[in-house]
Amino acid sequence: MLSEKMLEGLNNQINMEMQAYYTYLSMSAYFEDQGLKGFASWMFHHSEEEMTHAMKIYDFIHSRRGRVKLTALVTPPSEWEKPLEAVESALHHEQKVTAAIHNLVKVAREEGDYATDSFLQWFVDEQVEEEEVVDDLIQKLTLIGDFSPGLYLLDRELSENVGEEDEEE
Ligand code: FEO
């Protein structure tokens, strides 16, 4: 049985993962509009992953006989000044998600809820990978700067690599 506090935290986390899904989907649409098909499909894939994260928590709450309560999503931005700005905002969102997951682990430990603690460890590990791949993209975009052929090549590389980083999941 989940405590009220744990349940509220997990329901909030569903919202956060869904917000990430919605925001990354909006980024994917922005990249499509920019003619960056590789970025668009990379970000679309990433958005789908966020949906699976939300659903993992959704299923876990039910398996613990808790009540899932869905809440409103915020309208995501639809325009960014350039690809680097979009990817930087994705990293900021991931950092917020990481902090929220760590806080949930803290609550689980304070309450002696070992099952939720164990369940959350997958998310702790996942966040390390998520931040790493987004940060890697930021580094590449920073190196490229305003050099269009570099952006073209990176876009092509991304279209070839979509989904590779989570093959081991
Ligand atoms: Fe599910 Fe990227 O946090």
Side-chain angles (χ1 to χ4, degrees):
M1 191 77 172
L2 293 162
S3 73
E4 291 247 334
K5 189 174 177 186
M6 197 75 257
L7 181 59
E8 187 186 352
L10 289 168
N11 270 316
N12 287 342
Q13 195 62 36
I14 291 179
N15 179 282
M16 209 164 188
E17 303 288 346
M18 290 297 287
Q19 191 65 49
Y21 158 74
Y22 211 35
T23 302
Y24 298 161
L25 189 61
S26 183
M27 281 180 192
S28 179
Y30 159 77
F31 288 131
E32 284 279 354
D33 186 57
Q34 298 287 308
L36 294 165
K37 297 270 183 196
F39 276 85
S41 62
W42 188 89
M43 202 49 96
F44 183 82
H45 178 78
H46 207 76
S47 77
E48 285 184 316
E49 274 191 18
E50 299 302 345
M51 177 72 87
T52 67
H53 296 172
M55 292 311 294
K56 262 182 198 281
I57 302 167
Y58 177 96
D59 288 339
F60 178 74
I61 291 176
H62 287 149
S63 72
R64 300 288 306 282
R65 296 248 177 251
R67 180 74 170 88
V68 168
K69 288 194 179 160
L70 301 178
T71 48
L73 299 178
V74 174
T75 303
S78 54
E79 297 295 336
W80 287 268
E81 198 185 312
K82 53 187 178 178
L84 177 60
E85 193 196 17
V87 181
E88 279 175 341
S89 84
L91 180 61
H92 285 150
H93 194 84
E94 287 305 323
Q95 288 165 338
K96 280 191 204 162
V97 171
T98 300
I101 294 286
H102 290 178
N103 192 52
L104 284 176
V105 171
K106 200 167 146 224
V107 171
R109 290 185 181 178
E110 280 167 3
E111 301 197 341
D113 184 345
Y114 303 115
T116 302
D117 185 2
S118 172
F119 167 73
L120 289 169
Q121 291 314 303
W122 183 90
F123 286 86
V124 171
D125 296 340
E126 177 72 1
Q127 281 311 117
V128 174
E129 187 195 303
E130 298 244 308
E131 286 194 28
E132 186 187 0
V133 295
V134 178
D135 194 46
D136 184 57
L137 194 50
I138 288 174
Q139 285 190 33
K140 285 178 177 163
L141 280 167
T142 305
L143 276 174
I144 288 167
D146 294 326
F147 186 61
S148 303
L151 189 61
Y152 171 78
L153 287 174
L154 180 56
D155 187 61
R156 204 167 69 176
E157 182 189 312
L158 286 175
S159 68
E160 286 163 4
N161 294 348
V162 166
E164 249 180 28
E165 73 267 11
D166 55 11
E167 266 173 13
E168 67 267 16
E169 273 177 27

